[in-house]
Amino acid sequence: MESDACQALTSLIRWESSLDGLIEAANRCDRHEGPSVRLDHDAVRDVLQQCISGAAGVLELSRWAGAVHMLERIEIDEVDVELLTQFLFEVSSPELFEPITVDVCQRWFSRMEHV
């Protein structure tokens, strides 16, 4: 079960398939005890690249960020915590900041490259 749980969380972090299924599986896993999975800027850059290239939906990025941000078993590396927490909060709250577009993804991608 634990390896399956980690896989569900890792699959969400990497946005490996349909977002609905990934969020549902990750939420189920998050309710059980087990090891945490780390989110780092490389994983976020990969997701941003998927959105920029059209492989993932830019309009769904806020749902992805909100799901990742709310899961207790997804942790952020200490070195990345400030930047990634800001990213997750801003992207999951486009009504407070700005609508998610390819340009927004490119700006965040650029910020992640210079870490």
Side-chain angles (χ1 to χ4, degrees):
M1 172 69 180
E2 285 185 8
S3 64
D4 291 341
C6 285
Q7 184 57 47
L9 297 170
T10 301
S11 293
L12 176 62
I13 286 173
R14 294 182 182 156
W15 196 341
E16 293 180 338
S17 62
S18 165
L19 194 54
D20 290 333
L22 292 172
I23 291 172
E24 183 180 318
N27 282 330
R28 273 195 314 269
C29 293
D30 200 53
R31 285 180 243 152
H32 303 286
E33 295 217 8
S36 295
V37 175
R38 295 232 179 248
L39 176 70
D40 60 23
H41 70 274
D42 289 334
V44 172
R45 279 188 22 220
D46 290 346
V47 166
L48 288 167
Q49 186 59 46
Q50 289 180 51
C51 291
I52 292 166
S53 72
V58 171
L59 298 177
E60 290 188 296
L61 183 60
S62 64
R63 285 185 57 226
W64 175 86
V68 168
H69 191 56
M70 297 306 294
L71 292 169
E72 292 185 23
R73 288 181 49 197
I74 294 179
E75 296 179 357
I76 300 174
D77 284 332
E78 187 69 32
V79 69
D80 295 325
V81 73
E82 188 174 317
L83 178 64
L84 294 187
T85 301
Q86 179 184 4
F87 167 78
L88 292 172
F89 180 66
E90 287 186 21
V91 170
S92 67
S93 308
E95 66 281 358
L96 298 177
F97 295 94
E98 63 181 310
I100 306 304
T101 64
V102 171
D103 288 342
V104 169
C105 293
Q106 289 171 331
R107 277 187 301 206
W108 276 108
F109 185 88
S110 179
R111 284 183 70 184
M112 301 286 168
E113 275 188 321
H114 298 101
V115 176

